[in-house]
Amino acid sequence: MTDRRTVCSTSELFNAADADIVFRSSDNVVFRIHARNLAVTSGGFPPAGFSSADEIVDLTEEASTLELMFQFVYPRPQSSLEVLGFNELSKLAEAVEKYQIYPAMQLCNIFMTNALPENALGVLEYSMRHGYPSLSNRAAPFVTLERISASLNTVSPTLLRAWIRYYDTWNEKIRHATLTAPSGHKCANWSEYQRKIFFALGELTGIKNDVSIAAVITVPHFASICCKDDAARWHQNFSKKISDASMPPALYH
Ligand SMILES: [Zn+2]
């Protein structure tokens, strides 16, 4: 809380002379903010330990994140979040959750949702940490074994534990796909179609998204209508079973 570090600069946007709280980013940029604005827009300010208006409050976020975040505590036009890369967006999303900047929380949530499927692992971390279970379930199918293995050094143990349970459940459902296959189909081509579908499903182990499955449980376009109907039925049953596989509840806190 004491002012020991060199102040490099002051935010151009947040530099009002009559501001009564002074924050400093981790990269030494100062932000002068009106306490009354924080009081009406956020639930997380002032941070624990804050005592006097004369002190500079050090925050762990970088200036680029704070500059975006503080825009949401003033009635002013805000920067477009659309132009942010995922890294910047997720830092902002973390900050607005941490300080409970209510006007920005839903917006960040929407943008994080739109960052699927490419940023599935980051979105999954965010959704589990802040308690958005339906977003966790949307992100989880895109977090493949390959993706999570590549990030083993950064992924949280909590996420890893929950994801492994989810991964096991999913693969078990793929193994039991035979149970959802329609039975009693007599026509000559069906057994060959079925064999191909089983084979393709086997290759899906560890790959968990509805799109891949839709592509697999299908018959050629020239197949007879009875085979098309049963493939459609099978696909529907299997998708329903797969949709029951949800991420275990977040164990953070
Ligand atoms: Zn048939």
Side-chain angles (χ1 to χ4, degrees):
M1 214 58 84
T2 46
D3 188 2
R4 274 175 305 216
R5 289 185 305 180
T6 315
V7 170
C8 297
S9 57
T10 303
S11 161
E12 279 179 30
L13 223 47
F14 302 102
N15 196 18
D18 63 340
D20 39 12
I21 302 189
V22 182
F23 295 105
R24 180 169 49 199
S25 67
S26 62
D27 46 357
N28 293 326
V29 178
V30 161
F31 294 79
R32 300 180 188 282
I33 305 291
H34 297 90
R36 63 174 184 272
N37 289 69
L38 292 177
V40 297
T41 52
S42 88
F45 276 112
F50 173 76
S51 58
S52 154
D54 297 328
E55 287 183 348
I56 292 181
V57 183
D58 282 316
L59 301 180
T60 55
E61 289 74 19
E62 291 166 10
S64 54
T65 303
L66 295 180
E67 180 112 344
L68 288 165
M69 184 183 82
F70 284 132
Q71 291 181 44
F72 288 95
V73 308
Y74 285 89
R76 64 181 304 286
Q78 286 138 13
S79 295
S80 166
L81 300 188
E82 227 147 341
V83 298
L84 297 184
F86 182 72
N87 196 27
E88 292 164 296
L89 173 67
S90 62
K91 283 180 188 170
L92 177 65
E94 283 301 321
V96 304
E97 290 287 340
K98 177 176 169 186
Y99 300 114
Q100 295 176 276
I101 308 292
Y102 295 115
M105 284 162 72
Q106 275 301 314
L107 195 64
C108 283
N109 191 281
I110 291 165
F111 275 87
M112 288 297 276
T113 305
N114 291 344
L116 289 175
E118 302 96 273
N119 303 289
L121 188 54
V123 174
L124 186 58
E125 282 277 17
Y126 156 85
S127 62
M128 290 191 71
R129 187 154 43 237
H130 302 296
Y132 297 110
S134 63
L135 182 55
S136 295
N137 286 333
R138 286 183 63 174
F142 298 104
V143 179
T144 58
L145 179 61
E146 197 181 11
R147 243 183 226 216
I148 215 157
S149 304
S151 311
L152 271 187
N153 294 331
T154 50
V155 75
S156 70
T158 306
L159 183 144
L160 198 54
R161 197 164 53 226
W163 181 85
I164 287 169
R165 271 168 60 193
Y166 172 77
Y167 182 80
D168 275 351
T169 311
W170 188 281
N171 285 342
E172 191 188 323
K173 281 171 193 290
I174 290 182
R175 281 195 295 274
H176 292 138
T178 44
L179 302 176
T180 59
S183 56
H185 197 130
K186 294 279 187 266
C187 89
N189 295 322
W190 180 248
S191 62
E192 176 59 12
Y193 294 151
Q194 200 168 343
R195 195 188 63 79
K196 281 188 172 148
I197 290 170
F198 285 143
F199 186 75
L201 280 171
E203 292 197 311
L204 277 182
T205 306
I207 299 170
K208 304 173 292 306
N209 69 71
D210 297 349
V211 181
S212 325
I213 290 159
V216 159
I217 304 185
T218 184
V219 291
H221 65 93
F222 50 78
S224 27
I225 196 76
C226 61
C227 294
K228 282 182 173 165
D229 282 352
D230 260 0
R233 206 166 296 131
W234 188 0
H235 174 238
Q236 203 175 12
N237 292 344
F238 186 58
S239 296
K240 194 173 168 296
K241 266 208 138 31
I242 284 288
S243 71
D244 296 340
S246 62
M247 278 294 287
L251 302 165
Y252 289 94
H253 303 303

